[in-house]
Structures are given as C-alpha cells and as structure tokens.
Amino acid sequence: MRLLTDSRGNTKLHKSELPQFRIVGLALSPADTAPDLPTNCSHSTAACRSACVGGPLVGLALVWQSIMAGRIAKTQYLRQDRAGFIRQLVQELATEQRIAERDGRRLVVRLNTYSDLPWESGEFGEIPQQFPNVIAYDYSKRHERRHRVPSNYHLCHSWDETPKGQAS
C-alpha cells in the first residue's frame, strides 16, 4: 500500500499546486472514523467532524467506499506498526523529493490531509526535520504545536465553533 498521494489523486491538494511545486499528501482517516483505533484528531469538535471533507459521507469517499477504506487501512498500519509506517513514509518522501528535483520543482508535503498528528514530534518520526529542503504544511487545532515546529513546517490555525478555536 502506498502512503502518499500526489496532487493528481487528491482534489484538496490539486487546488494548491503551482508549476514550481510537486505536492503530495498523506490521507489518513479523520477524527474517529477508524473503528477501534485512537483518533487522528484529538482536538476535533462535533462541528468540525460533521463538516470534515475527509469523512466517509463527503465527496468521493461517499461514492467509492474504497477511498475511505484506504484511509482507514493507512491509519491501521500507523497504529499497529508505527516504526514500519514511518520507515515507509520516509522512503516515499525521499523518492518524491528526487522526482521533484529531477523535474526542477520543490517538494511540498501535507502530512495531515485529513488528520491532526504531530509529525514534528519524536513520537511520529520528526518527519519535517528529516527533510529540511521540503516544505511541509498543515492545519491544526492543537494550538501548542504552532510554537514547536521546525522552520520548514508551516501550521495554520484551524478555526472551529468553540471560543478557544476562534482565538488567533
């Protein structure tokens, strides 16, 4: 199973792509949509779960159940064999970086296309730190993360309906 998807396979990523960048993303299951596994969005709210474009009742995942099944399978892999998952993710990112460089572009990665995991932490492999020439970007509701990410990892505050979620 391939972990990363390039922008041709994900409308959400495709909207952001410019000619000078190659964008890839990791699409895990959002919030608590993977049965019997820990949530991928520990700070999600009821409103954000109901509006999540990565959920099983939205977009192409509603039409083709295989899309959501793939997101859940990746989440199961991460939760059941984190070391193996991280090794594969690092290998895929290295390959994607070589492809981007070959094409004269810069690699951009969205590690949390539908999730909110701290990929900059040791618990999740310190992925952005391993690829200092790759631009990483994500949204996050985890406010404490914004001040602890490496310079190549750009986090945008994810708005929600709670008073804390509306603060800057």
Side-chain angles (χ1 to χ4, degrees):
M1 153 180 43
R2 183 157 162 71
L3 301 178
L4 296 173
T5 304
D6 71 23
S7 65
R8 293 172 298 173
N10 185 301
T11 304
K12 190 173 184 178
L13 299 177
H14 187 69
K15 291 176 182 179
S16 302
E17 193 161 66
L18 297 171
Q20 66 268 34
F21 300 116
R22 175 176 176 77
I23 299 179
V24 297
L26 175 61
L28 299 172
S29 59
D32 54 1
T33 56
D36 303 319
L37 292 174
T39 182
N40 284 330
C41 304
S42 62
H43 289 60
S44 68
T45 63
C48 89
R49 286 187 299 276
S50 69
C52 181
V53 297
L57 301 177
V58 181
L60 293 177
L62 178 62
V63 178
W64 290 290
Q65 280 99 25
S66 61
I67 291 174
M68 198 64 206
R71 293 174 189 162
I72 290 171
K74 290 176 195 177
T75 297
Q76 289 170 330
Y77 179 23
L78 170 66
R79 298 303 185 173
Q80 293 167 358
D81 181 9
R82 185 172 299 184
F85 183 98
I86 290 171
R87 265 192 313 278
Q88 182 176 340
L89 180 58
V90 167
Q91 290 170 349
E92 288 187 26
L93 282 168
T95 298
E96 292 293 340
Q97 187 173 15
R98 285 191 299 276
I99 292 169
E101 289 170 355
R102 180 197 68 205
D103 296 342
R105 298 190 291 168
R106 187 158 182 201
L107 183 63
V108 178
V109 63
R110 184 156 182 193
L111 295 166
N112 287 310
T113 305
Y114 306 114
S115 54
D116 190 358
L117 298 173
W119 293 102
E120 72 281 1
S121 73
E123 177 185 10
F124 287 94
E126 297 179 329
I127 300 299
Q129 295 91 314
Q130 292 190 51
F131 295 91
N133 294 321
V134 171
I135 299 169
Y137 75 103
D138 281 317
Y139 286 86
S140 181
K141 285 192 182 346
R142 299 172 69 165
H143 300 275
E144 72 279 1
R145 290 181 63 207
R146 294 186 298 173
H147 306 291
R148 297 187 299 210
V149 295
S151 61
N152 66 321
Y153 197 8
H154 307 278
L155 288 181
C156 181
H157 169 69
S158 183
W159 187 93
D160 65 49
E161 74 281 10
T162 66
K164 184 177 180 180
Q166 296 175 29
S168 57

